[in-house]
C-alpha cells in the first residue's frame, strides 16, 4: 500500500483544475455519490472554535453518506503533549501519539483544525502540531486550517474564482487589511499558494513589515502600494494577517488600509472576496461587503463542495 | 415564492387545533413521514444551554429522517454583532448578517435559541436578536425560545391540555411562583398567547408588580389573589417570571406563592403543569410535583411531537 | 416485563465469556446487526470530559444503526440536585429525578459518565449519582465509567486478554503506578472484578496505603512488592489510583513504581496493558509503552466492540 494520502496543502493535489471541477460537480449534484461513505466515519477534531468549517465539513460528509463524529478538544478533551521523551508529570494528560493513533481506530478519515501560536514562529512554520498528528495517525488526515495554511478555504476560493471569472487572464489581488487582533498568515499563505498553482496572475499588497513567507508567494507581484495593486483588478481578496518577521505583531499604523468604495473604484469592477468572519468597517466597509460584486457568501457556500471533493478523493483513493 | 415561513410565535400558525392534531398524530406514529427529511439538514443553534429543547428537537428531526447539526455558540462559536453600520473593532467577531446567511447555506431549516437580556426591555421585546437572525436567514427559522416567547413549549403544552382535558370548558390557571433568580417572561407570555388562541378560559394570578405585557394576556382574567384563582381550576400551570415593569427585577416578598398541596385542595382536582426544569420546593412542593395529577413529564415528552409537527409543516410547506 | 436491564458492572453480566465472544464477533463483522438499532436512539451524557469513551461508544451505536445524541452537561446543561426533599433555592437548577426521567423519553438507551468526588468516599462508593440516575431512568442505563467502576473498559480489556493469551493459566498482574494527580479507583476496581469473574489468576501490587476495597479484589493475590509480582507475569496492567483509606490522597513517595524496561525483564515476556490516557515516563517509560508487547492501542480499539456488545445485549433484551 502507498503511504497514506492526506490533504494538508496544495502539494497533496496533483491537478488543481481537476479538484476544482470535482467540487463544481458536487455543487450541481451533492448526492451523486451518496453511498460512497456508507459505513465510513469522519472524525472532526477542533482545537479552537469554528463555524463555517465545522458546518460545511459536516454537511459535506453527510452528502457522501458518511457518519460524522465531532469533538471539541477545548471543552471535551484534554491537553496533548507533543514532545517526544517528555516526562508527563505536568498539565499534559495525553501524548499526541496515543491520541492520533486511537482516534484513527474509530475513524476512516480525521479532519483536524489546529492553530498558530503566533508566538513561536519556528514551531508554527514547522506545523509542529499537525505534523505530529499526521505522523501518528493511521488514516488520512484533512487539515481544517493549520498554523500556516487553510487549504479547504483555498479550494473553495478557487471554485469561486472559476465560477465568477470571465477572462482569459484576470488580475487577482490579495490585499492586507487592518484588524484589532493578531491573526495567523494561514489564509493569505494558502490563497497565494493555490492561486499561483492554478496559474492566476496574482498581486499581493501589504504594508511594510507584513511580508509573507516567500515559499508561499513566489511568482506573485509584491507591492506596498495598495492603490496601485487595485488598479485594473478583477478580483480583490482582502485579509488581515499579523507580521511574519516581527512574528505575530500588529500595529494600528495601517488602519487606512480598510477597503472602501473609493478604492474599489480603482479596480476593473472587481469582485470582492473574503473568507469570513469579517470585521465590518475594519477589513472593508459595508458598502463593499454588501455590494452585488461581493462574493463572500458564495465562498462560504463553496466550502461544502470543496470539502466534499476532498473527502471523495480520500474515500475513493483517487489522486 | 411566498416569503419564507418561520415558526416564531402562535402568529405563524393559521389553525392552532390543526397543529395540535398533527403533533398528536406524530405521537402515535413518529415514523409516519420518515422520508420527508431525506437529504434535508436541520441546524440547531444555541446561544445558551438547553436540555429538553436540544434533545427533543434533535429527536424530532431524526424521526423525520433529517440530518442534524448542533452548534453551541457559547463554547464553539463567536460573539455576534447586531448593530448595522458598526465599526467592528471590539469584541464582536462576526456580524449576524453573515452568520445567519452562511448557516442558511448549510441548512434547510435553522432552529435557534436566543435569550432575554433582562436588562434592556426594549431590546428584548423587539426580539432584536431573533428578528436580526430572521432578517438575514435564507431558510425557515424555528424559535427554540426567544427573549419573550417559547412557542415550541407552548405547542407541547397545548397537546398536553388536549390529551388530558375531559371538559367542554375547563378552567386553566397560570400562576406565578417564586424563584431565586431572575427569569424571562417567555414561557408565561407564550402559554397565555397559545391558550387564548386555542380558546381556553384562562386566569392568570401573580403578585402585584409581576404584570405581563398585555399584548400576550388580553382576554385572560388577571388577579393578584392566587387562592381565588385556584378555586375550581382544572389545570394549574405554575411558572416564575421576573417583573416586566421594573424589568428583570425579583423580590423575595412573595415566596409564599410556592404551590403546595393545601393550595391544590382549592382546585377541581386540577392537573399540575410546569415546563421544567423545576426548582423543587420553591416553585412547587414535592407533594404537588410527584402527585399522579402532575403532567410535567408528559409535557416534556410532548416536546418531541410538537417539534416534529413544526418541522413537518416547514418541510412540506404546509401552513 | 422484567426490571430494566442496565450495564453498570460485571454483576449485570450472566456469562462473561459469552459477552467477550459477542464483542469478538462484532470485531470481525461490525455491521452484522446494522438494522437492529433502526429508529432507536442512544443518549450519551457526559458529566466530565472523554475521548475514547465518547468516540468508541458513538461508533458502536452507529455500527448498530442507532441514532446518537451526545450531551456534555458541563458546557451545555445544568447542575443537578441529588438530595430528595431539597429546597432548591441554591445553584442546582434541576433535580436528577426530572433529568433522568425526561432524557428517558427521548432515548431508548442512556449511556452516562459520572465521576468520583474523591473527597466523599461514602458518596462515591454508594455510587450516589449513578444510582440516582438509574433510579429515575425509564430505559436501560450503560455506565461509561462511574465513581468506582469502568465496566466498558474492563470488557474491552477482557477481549484483549482473550485475543492475546496463549496459555491455559496466564499470570495477570495489576500494578499501581505513580501519577501527579489524584485519580479514581474505578479502572483498578473494575479490572480486578472482571479478571476474577473471567477466572484469571490475578496478582495486585501496590504500595502500602493504596489498598483497594476488598469487595472488588477478593480472590486476587495482594502484595506490596512490585518486583515479586512481576516475576513470571504474562500480562502487566499498570494503573494509578489514589488511596482508598486516606481517601483520594496521593503522595510522591512511590514515584519509583514507574514501570520500566528493567522491571519488564522480570516478567515472562509479558504483554503491557493500560487503559489510556497514559502519562508517559510517569506511569511507564516510553520503552515499555512503545514495545511490540504493548497492547494499549488494541485495548482502545476493542472499546468499540465492547460497547457494541453491550448495546446489542440491551437492544435485543438478551442477557
Amino acid at each position: 500500500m502507498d503511504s497514506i494520502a492526506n490533504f494538508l496543502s496544495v502539494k497533496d493535489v496533483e491537478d488543481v483544475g481537476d479538484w476544482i471541477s470535482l467540487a463544481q460537480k458536487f455543487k450541481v449534484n451533492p448526492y451523486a455519490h451518496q453511498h460512497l461513505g456508507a459505513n465510513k466515519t469522519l472524525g472532526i477534531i477542533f482545537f479552537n472554535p469554528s463555524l463555517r468549517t465545522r458546518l460545511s465539513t459536516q454537511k459535506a460528509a453527510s452528502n457522501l453518506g458518511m457518519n460524522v463524529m465531532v469533538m471539541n478538544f477545548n471543552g471535551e478533551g484534554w491537553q496533548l503533549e507533543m514532545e517526544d521523551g517528555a516526562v508527563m508529570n505536568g498539565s499534559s494528560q495525553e501524548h499526541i501519539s496515543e491520541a492520533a493513533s486511537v482516534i484513527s481506530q474509530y475513524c476512516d478519515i480525521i479532519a483536524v483544525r489546529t492553530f498558530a501560536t503566533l508566538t513561536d514562529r519556528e514551531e508554527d512554520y514547522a506545523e509542529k502540531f499537525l505534523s505530529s498528528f499526521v505522523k501518528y495517525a493511521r488514516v488520512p488526515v484533512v487539515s481544517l486550517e493549520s498554523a500556516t495554511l487553510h487549504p479547504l478555504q483555498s479550494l473553495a476560493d478557487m471554485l469561486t474564482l472559476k465560477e465568477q471569472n470571465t477572462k482569459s487572464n484576470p488580475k487577482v489581488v490579495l490585499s492586507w487589511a487592518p484588524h484589532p487582533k493578531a491573526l495567523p498568515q494561514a489564509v493569505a499563505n494558502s490563497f497565494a499558494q493555490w492561486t499561483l498553482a492554478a496559474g492566476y496572475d496574482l498581486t499581493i499588497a501589504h504594508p511594510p513589515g507584513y511580508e509573507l513567507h516567500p515559499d508561499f508567494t513566489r511568482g506573485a507581484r509584491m507591492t506596498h502600494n495598495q492603490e496601485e495593486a487595485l488598479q485594473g483588478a478583477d478580483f480583490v481578496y482582502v485579509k488581515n494577517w499579523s507580521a511574519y518577521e516581527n512574528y505575530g505583531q500588529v500595529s494600528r499604523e495601517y488602519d487606512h488600509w480598510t477597503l472602501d468604495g473609493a478604492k474599489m473604484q480603482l479596480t476593473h469592477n472587481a469582485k470582492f472576496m473574503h473568507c469570513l468572519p469579517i470585521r465590518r468597517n475594519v477589513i472593508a466597509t459595508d458598502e463593499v461587503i454588501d455590494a452585488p460584486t461581493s462574493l463572500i457568501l458564495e465562498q462560504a457556500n463553496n466550502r461544502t463542495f470543496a470539502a466534499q471533493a476532498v473527502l471523495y478523493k480520500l474515500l475513493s483513493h483517487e489522486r
Side-chain angles (χ1 to χ4, degrees), chain A:
Chain A
M1 199 176 71
D2 291 316
S3 67
I4 292 168
N6 299 305
F7 181 76
L8 310 178
S9 82
V10 74
K11 293 181 181 171
D12 293 314
V13 172
E14 274 192 9
D15 179 341
V16 172
D18 170 48
W19 287 54
I20 298 169
S21 296
L22 181 61
Q24 207 166 8
K25 279 178 203 155
F26 279 121
K27 191 169 182 176
V28 174
N29 190 355
Y31 307 112
H33 295 276
Q34 194 158 23
H35 302 292
L36 183 65
N39 293 336
K40 301 288 182 190
T41 298
L42 175 68
I44 304 184
I45 312 291
F46 288 102
F47 289 90
N48 63 342
S50 161
L51 168 61
R52 267 154 291 276
T53 296
R54 155 75 194 286
L55 296 181
S56 63
T57 306
Q58 190 169 351
K59 182 73 179 291
S62 296
N63 285 351
L64 290 167
M66 296 187 83
N67 181 28
V68 179
M69 304 197 292
V70 179
M71 178 120 187
N72 290 302
F73 259 70
N74 288 349
E76 299 181 47
W78 6 68
Q79 199 173 330
L80 297 184
E81 177 64 51
M82 285 193 288
E83 297 299 331
D84 286 338
V87 177
M88 291 171 56
N89 56 6
S91 55
S92 297
Q93 295 163 279
E94 179 153 29
H95 199 280
I96 195 169
S97 62
E98 272 76 58
S101 303
V102 164
I103 297 171
S104 298
Q105 296 181 309
Y106 308 138
C107 302
D108 298 282
I109 299 175
I110 304 173
V112 60
R113 165 167 265 177
T114 61
F115 48 90
T117 65
L118 291 185
T119 54
D120 184 335
R121 185 172 72 183
E122 204 180 332
E123 183 179 315
D124 286 349
Y125 273 73
E127 291 285 5
K128 188 168 179 180
F129 189 98
L130 184 63
S131 58
S132 297
F133 197 94
V134 165
K135 177 180 168 189
Y136 294 109
R138 291 147 185 241
V139 297
V141 175
V142 173
S143 166
L144 299 175
E145 186 173 349
S146 64
T148 69
L149 292 170
H150 197 343
L152 272 178
Q153 177 67 54
S154 299
L155 178 52
D157 293 339
M158 294 306 109
L159 172 55
T160 312
L161 279 176
K162 184 183 175 189
E163 291 176 328
Q164 298 289 334
N165 181 37
T166 56
K167 285 188 162 180
S168 65
N169 190 25
K171 181 178 181 182
V172 179
V173 175
L174 170 63
S175 174
W176 184 92
H179 192 281
K181 290 187 183 167
L183 294 186
Q185 292 104 29
V187 170
N189 287 340
S190 200
F191 182 75
Q193 200 178 39
W194 283 74
T195 309
L196 294 165
Y200 287 103
D201 173 357
L202 178 66
T203 301
I204 303 177
H206 59 75
Y210 287 90
E211 282 70 21
L212 295 166
H213 190 296
D215 274 4
F216 305 109
T217 60
R218 206 164 285 125
R221 264 193 309 275
M222 313 298 294
T223 173
H224 292 163
N225 186 330
Q226 189 185 31
E227 303 204 343
E228 185 190 290
L230 293 173
Q231 266 152 22
D234 296 293
F235 293 92
V236 179
Y237 202 112
V238 293
K239 181 74 184 80
N240 173 267
W241 59 87
S242 59
Y244 174 78
E245 276 306 324
N246 294 310
Y247 193 63
Q249 297 304 299
V250 282
S251 79
R252 310 304 309 256
E253 207 180 331
Y254 300 101
D255 281 0
H256 57 284
W257 278 62
T258 301
L259 189 69
D260 62 19
K263 289 179 186 171
M264 285 300 275
Q265 293 289 340
L266 301 170
T267 70
H268 185 260
N269 193 27
K271 305 287 190 183
F272 169 73
M273 300 179 74
H274 187 273
C275 58
L276 303 184
I278 190 165
R279 299 266 185 158
R280 285 178 168 257
N281 302 308
V282 177
I283 295 286
T285 60
D286 287 340
E287 182 188 359
V288 173
I289 295 172
D290 297 328
T293 43
S294 174
L295 302 180
I296 56 173
L297 295 180
E298 207 49 44
Q299 289 173 265
N301 187 29
N302 284 339
R303 291 292 305 276
T304 300
F305 311 108
Q308 201 169 341
V310 170
L311 294 173
Y312 174 87
K313 286 281 189 182
L314 295 177
L315 282 174
S316 60
H317 304 294
E318 268 189 42
R319 305 298 288 158

